[in-house]
Amino acid sequence: DAGVTQSPTHLIKTRGQQVTLRCSPKSGHDTVSWYQQALGQGPQFIFQYYEEEERQRGNFPDRFSGHQFPNYSSELNVNALLLGDSALYLCASSGGGQGAVDTQYFGPGTRLTVL
Amino acid sequence: AQKVTQAQTEISVVEKEDVTLDCVYETRDTTYYLFWYKQPPSGELVFLIRRNSFDEQNEISGRYSWNFQKSTSSFNFTITASQVVDSAVYFCALSGEMGDYGGSQGNLIFGKGTKLSVKP
């Protein structure tokens, strides 16, 4: 049973560029959440997708956008990259169930460096 | 507002010592969920335990144990007879319920983490 997978593993971009990160959830999970983890800090919630819609969003600018596909996989897009966007981006998936509160399982992350 | 505080930034112990990682949380929700995750140098967050606010029973899993006390808003994690493989950053996290939404829970609020170094 494959866990949460993310691609790419590492990415180097320059300021002003755009980046797309990808995530495939754990089998049987239908909800995907994205987090940003700066060096030495705890992960910060970016947004969560369920049924192909953004259901909840953290305190991140509109430069951060996402998408969820019918197979539950998800993309995180960041436009107009800033140096401060350099971080580990973590994807987490969780199981579905009306009203259920499920544990989030994390992928290995994508390390983004903005130069 | 919800908040998680892990006051211990770094802890260093010698193998076989017991160590306790502290976690204090703040929330106005009557129903909430607490978690511990382990982050080894590889970077992936590994789920360790989840505790519901309405279940104050402590839990033991092998060398790991968790002490949940609503009266002090704490959810502490103890490793007994620590091993070098326990070296990692440990995060405590908090989540509330999603309300009327379908699907799984909302966002996790993480503490800043405690870096545990276990020396041989």
Side-chain angles (χ1 to χ4, degrees):
Chain A
D1 179 22
V4 180
T5 60
Q6 292 186 243
S7 63
T9 305
H10 294 87
L11 206 49
I12 298 175
K13 292 286 188 178
T14 57
R15 280 178 296 175
Q17 285 190 312
Q18 178 264 344
V19 68
T20 298
L21 310 182
R22 295 177 176 81
C23 172
S24 290
K26 190 176 170 66
S27 178
H29 287 181
D30 59 5
T31 302
V32 173
S33 304
W34 287 91
Y35 293 80
Q36 180 195 66
Q37 186 180 17
L39 201 61
Q41 301 295 315
Q44 298 289 317
F45 175 73
I46 302 175
F47 43 53
Q48 183 180 80
Y49 277 84
Y50 171 69
E51 292 188 342
E52 301 180 48
E53 291 191 359
E54 182 184 293
R55 184 169 65 173
Q56 192 175 6
R57 188 179 184 92
N59 189 25
F60 278 80
D62 292 344
R63 298 187 297 108
F64 289 77
S65 63
H67 189 77
Q68 185 178 35
F69 299 94
N71 66 353
Y72 307 120
S73 66
S74 177
E75 289 182 349
L76 164 64
N77 301 292
V78 187
N79 295 322
L81 284 168
L82 303 174
L83 294 179
D85 295 332
S86 295
L88 179 67
Y89 288 85
L90 294 162
C91 169
S93 75
S94 46
Q98 288 291 45
V101 178
D102 300 306
T103 298
Q104 295 186 23
Y105 293 88
F106 285 80
T110 294
R111 174 73 63 186
L112 173 64
T113 301
V114 182
L115 303 177
Chain B
Q2 296 181 319
K3 184 180 179 181
V4 174
T5 301
Q6 294 181 256
Q8 304 150 310
T9 305
E10 291 192 42
I11 300 176
S12 182
V13 300
V14 176
E15 207 170 19
K16 297 185 182 178
E17 282 186 34
D18 298 346
V19 58
T20 295
L21 309 181
D22 298 332
C23 173
V24 174
Y25 62 91
E26 296 175 30
T27 181
R28 293 180 180 176
D29 292 341
T30 53
T31 301
Y32 52 90
Y33 304 84
L34 296 162
F35 302 82
W36 276 95
Y37 287 87
K38 173 182 180 179
Q39 188 173 44
S42 62
E44 182 171 348
L45 280 168
V46 177
F47 166 71
L48 296 177
I49 191 172
R50 154 197 168 138
R51 176 61 67 217
N52 306 332
S53 58
F54 43 86
D55 179 6
E56 291 191 65
Q57 190 172 20
N58 292 325
E59 183 157 338
I60 298 175
S61 175
R63 296 184 298 106
Y64 295 170
S65 63
W66 291 269
N67 182 8
F68 175 37
Q69 293 194 338
K70 283 180 82 169
S71 60
T72 56
S73 297
S74 65
F75 186 41
N76 296 336
F77 172 30
T78 297
I79 302 175
T80 302
S82 60
Q83 300 176 1
V84 173
V85 293
D86 295 327
S87 296
V89 180
Y90 290 86
F91 290 96
C92 180
L94 167 69
S95 176
E97 278 200 318
M98 277 296 293
D100 294 331
Y101 288 103
S104 63
Q105 68 193 73
N107 59 298
L108 290 169
I109 306 296
F110 284 86
K112 291 188 175 182
T114 297
K115 182 178 181 181
L116 174 64
S117 297
V118 182
K119 302 185 186 310

